[in-house]
Amino acid sequence: MWRNARDAVDITHPAGSAAVGVGETCSMAARGFPYTDLKDFLAALERAGELRRVSVPVDPTLEISEVVTRTVRADGPALLFERPTRGEMPVAINLFGTEKRMAMALGVESLDEIGARIGNMLKPELPVGLSGMMDGLGKIKQLTSMPPKKVKTAPCQQVVYRGEDVDLNRLPGLQVWPGDGGIFHNFGLTHTKHPETGKRNLGLYRLQQHSHNTLGMHWQIHKNSTAHHAVAERLGQRLPVAIAIGCDPAVAYAASAPLPADIDEYLFAGFLAGERVEMVDCLTVPLQVPAHAQIVLEGYLEPGERLPEGPFGDHTGFYTPVEPFPVLHIECMTMQRDPVYHSIVTSQPPQEDHGLGKATERIFAPLLRFLIPDIVDYDLPAAGVFHNCAIVSIRKRYPKHAQKVMNAIWGAHMMSLTKLIVVVDEDCDVHDYNEVAFRAFGNVDYSRDILVTEGPVDHLDHASYQQFWGGKLGVDATRKLPTEGYTRGWPEEMRMSPEVASLVDKRWKEYGI
């Protein structure tokens, strides 16, 4: 266990340097990005005043969760619990709890910058002239920097435990809520391969600790790893699995991103970082993992084996029930010397996953607009846990345009899980919930302007009467057209004249208000 966490993480200021102020967070991130590993990111957070150390003993059973939840709801910093009362290493948590830290994690001033890069790559124009050709070559260079590269040795394999020496109790896994079914590892990046095609998948799933060497794999019905396991069981084969804990932030985010099945997560992580991700062969399973992960667990799923998993207090704010899920038998456990354990707390919003959800919203906005060009902007409210509600603005051009967009969203990859879609006109700021509510409450005839349908919902949805599918609602809060049957003449919205507004701006101090 760390006796001197500062030395172990190397979170120190260079000789002669001063601590960086919070206001300089993103510019500092841009200079220090990409991060070599989790420890490098923690160092950047501390330099920027975005990390606090907790040096007293704290219990990973419930106590850490309560501390983190209070910190998140006060817009507080990332935390490093240096002396958890279980396990042999510190716990890093709340790393992505604000949009500022999420931007810092990905080396940008604003998350929209990454979306703009994606949007630029999606532009279909043919290059014109020398400048156009150079721009096209620049895009190709971005693509060629993406594929991961294999290395022969890696920090994640500095310490190796095999067979009877494997002990998950070395890790300070959390029990987050009183009704949880035990200890869970909440930020384990899970690697599988399709047994027939060899296609890799990286996913982020909760992992319940059943024993010192077994884990419950809670991968949901819509996830790619579930499909890999189904094929392995059909073939009567074991499925190799590797779990990486404590990865650099680009890889950690890529694992959570809702990528199409044919997009490799490490290709995407390389795009985010601007350089190739280093990967190393596992020691006991035919998979590769990030070379700079803090901890790696290697093992197999036996075909047909299930154990009860849960209950678990999830990001929905409710406990998910006990269900049978596959069991991972861990045969090898590797780690860096002096590793840092990374986890996350799940609860009713607001919680740390706000930063991850907002990153997905902004990064994938251009892709959604590419698929559905009618969309001007969109917002996924944190209170809707990022998949229950979408607010969408459009440039309305024809009758029932809003309904067309609703149906398109319900057919767009993981957006298909959205339960409520509110469509507003382009002059409505979708991120201003008061303005959206004003439109949705006042611009809607609820006998005519709603669309009710059914479709898939999230595995964790507790409100649907049937698991995995349920009702969906689309609300058309746009201005109605005569061709939609609205014949009264849509009223003009009140606006103060620019001249008067300018006059009041100039005289404001005179009023003495």
Side-chain angles (χ1 to χ4, degrees):
M1 187 169 179
W2 280 6
R3 299 303 177 192
N4 186 334
R6 180 176 296 275
D7 292 340
V9 186
D10 194 26
I11 301 184
T12 54
H13 303 304
S17 70
V20 178
V22 173
E24 299 176 76
T25 296
C26 290
S27 60
M28 185 66 190
R31 293 199 296 273
F33 185 82
Y35 308 106
T36 302
D37 63 4
L38 174 62
K39 294 175 185 175
D40 194 20
F41 181 46
L42 294 176
L45 288 174
E46 188 161 56
R47 287 194 298 268
E50 287 284 336
L51 176 75
R52 294 291 183 274
R53 295 170 177 273
V54 180
S55 58
V56 297
V58 185
D59 194 344
T61 299
L62 304 181
E63 188 180 6
I64 283 180
S65 172
E66 179 65 13
V67 174
V68 171
T69 298
R70 294 188 189 191
T71 303
V72 168
R73 291 177 183 174
D75 288 327
L79 300 174
L80 185 66
F81 292 92
E82 296 180 312
R83 298 170 63 194
T85 58
R86 270 195 293 100
E88 301 176 355
M89 60 200 69
V91 178
I93 203 162
N94 195 27
L95 305 187
F96 309 125
T98 65
E99 291 182 52
K100 176 186 284 188
R101 282 202 298 281
M102 194 68 237
M104 185 177 178
L106 299 179
V108 292
E109 297 279 348
S110 164
L111 295 168
D112 284 308
E113 292 177 33
I114 301 172
R117 286 172 58 199
I118 292 175
N120 187 49
M121 294 177 70
L122 291 171
K123 289 180 181 178
E125 301 94 351
L126 291 172
V128 177
L130 180 60
S131 62
M133 292 176 66
M134 294 302 293
D135 182 58
L137 289 172
K139 294 179 183 179
I140 293 171
K141 186 177 180 181
Q142 285 192 65
L143 289 169
T144 57
S145 70
M146 295 181 197
K149 62 179 178 181
K150 181 180 174 180
V151 296
K152 293 182 178 180
T153 61
C156 71
Q157 295 173 347
Q158 289 172 340
V159 179
V160 178
Y161 301 99
R162 299 175 187 257
E164 294 182 358
D165 292 328
V166 170
D167 187 359
L168 292 172
N169 295 312
R170 300 179 190 276
L171 310 180
L174 305 184
Q175 181 178 344
V176 174
W177 296 104
D180 284 355
I183 293 171
F184 287 82
H185 304 279
N186 294 336
F187 222 107
L189 277 54
T190 301
H191 301 71
T192 59
K193 247 187 334 190
H194 192 288
E196 294 177 325
T197 69
K199 173 68 179 174
R200 172 172 52 208
N201 183 68
L202 172 66
L204 179 60
Y205 317 114
R206 75 184 193 225
L207 306 161
Q208 182 174 1
Q209 186 170 319
H210 290 317
S211 72
H212 73 284
N213 64 353
T214 57
L215 292 171
M217 306 295 297
H218 188 277
W219 44 38
Q220 299 159 28
I221 191 172
H222 304 108
K223 305 301 185 181
N224 293 326
S225 289
T226 308
H228 292 182
H229 185 228
V231 173
E233 289 199 313
R234 175 171 55 81
L235 298 173
Q237 298 176 358
R238 289 169 136 194
L239 183 71
V241 177
I243 296 167
I245 298 174
C247 295
D248 74 83
V251 170
Y253 172 70
S256 76
L259 297 172
D262 56 347
I263 301 296
D264 184 90
E265 287 81 7
Y266 283 105
L267 200 70
F268 185 58
F271 169 80
L272 294 173
E275 67 177 26
R276 299 166 68 185
V277 177
E278 291 187 348
M279 307 286 288
V280 68
D281 286 340
C282 290
L283 300 181
T284 61
V285 293
L287 296 167
Q288 292 183 342
V289 289
H292 295 276
Q294 299 294 302
I295 302 146
V296 176
L297 309 176
E298 304 176 10
Y300 291 89
L301 302 178
E302 295 289 351
E305 184 181 15
R306 302 288 190 278
L307 280 178
E309 194 273 355
F312 179 76
D314 223 309
H315 67 282
T316 60
F318 296 87
Y319 289 104
T320 51
V322 175
E323 293 183 87
F325 275 94
V327 181
L328 177 63
H329 296 266
I330 299 166
E331 299 186 343
C332 183
M333 181 178 186
T334 73
M335 58 184 69
Q336 293 193 20
R337 297 187 187 93
D338 299 315
V340 179
Y341 178 85
H342 180 206
S343 193
I344 190 171
V345 167
T346 54
S347 77
Q348 176 182 334
Q351 194 48 267
E352 180 185 349
D353 58 1
H354 170 83
L356 294 166
K358 281 298 169 183
T360 292
E361 175 196 292
R362 302 325 306 160
I363 290 171
F364 287 90
L367 182 59
L368 188 62
R369 284 193 289 263
F370 181 77
L371 296 172
I372 312 171
D374 317 70
I375 292 175
V376 175
D377 199 2
Y378 82 122
D379 184 278
L380 303 175
V385 294
F386 300 105
H387 56 70
N388 283 339
C389 177
I391 302 165
V392 179
S393 61
I394 65 170
R395 188 172 296 112
K396 187 171 179 176
R397 296 187 293 112
Y398 48 79
K400 300 299 180 182
H401 194 169
Q403 286 78 356
K404 181 253 190 183
V405 170
M406 295 170 193
N407 285 302
I409 291 171
W410 282 322
H413 192 45
M414 296 306 288
M415 291 295 288
S416 64
L417 303 179
T418 307
K419 294 204 295 183
L420 172 64
I421 300 173
V422 180
V423 182
V424 294
D425 289 298
E426 64 176 314
D427 61 348
C428 178
D429 180 359
V430 294
H431 310 295
D432 183 339
Y433 298 154
N434 286 330
E435 185 178 357
V436 172
F438 175 73
R439 307 289 181 108
F441 298 162
N443 282 8
V444 180
D445 179 337
Y446 285 95
S447 69
R448 291 175 174 266
D449 300 334
I450 63 172
L451 177 61
V452 179
T453 186
E454 292 180 334
V457 297
D458 188 78
H459 189 129
L460 303 178
D461 189 278
H462 62 278
S464 58
Y465 283 61
Q466 301 291 328
Q467 192 176 27
F468 309 132
W469 64 274
K472 295 169 179 287
L473 178 68
V475 178
D476 179 1
T478 63
R479 299 176 182 89
K480 304 310 179 298
L481 305 173
T483 47
E484 292 177 301
Y486 187 88
T487 58
R488 299 172 57 198
W490 196 262
E492 181 182 355
E493 193 172 334
M494 298 175 296
R495 303 285 187 197
M496 181 52 69
S497 66
E499 295 80 10
V500 173
S502 177
L503 172 67
V504 171
D505 285 342
K506 292 176 182 177
R507 298 195 59 196
W508 187 254
K509 290 184 179 180
E510 295 181 42
Y511 304 141
I513 300 173

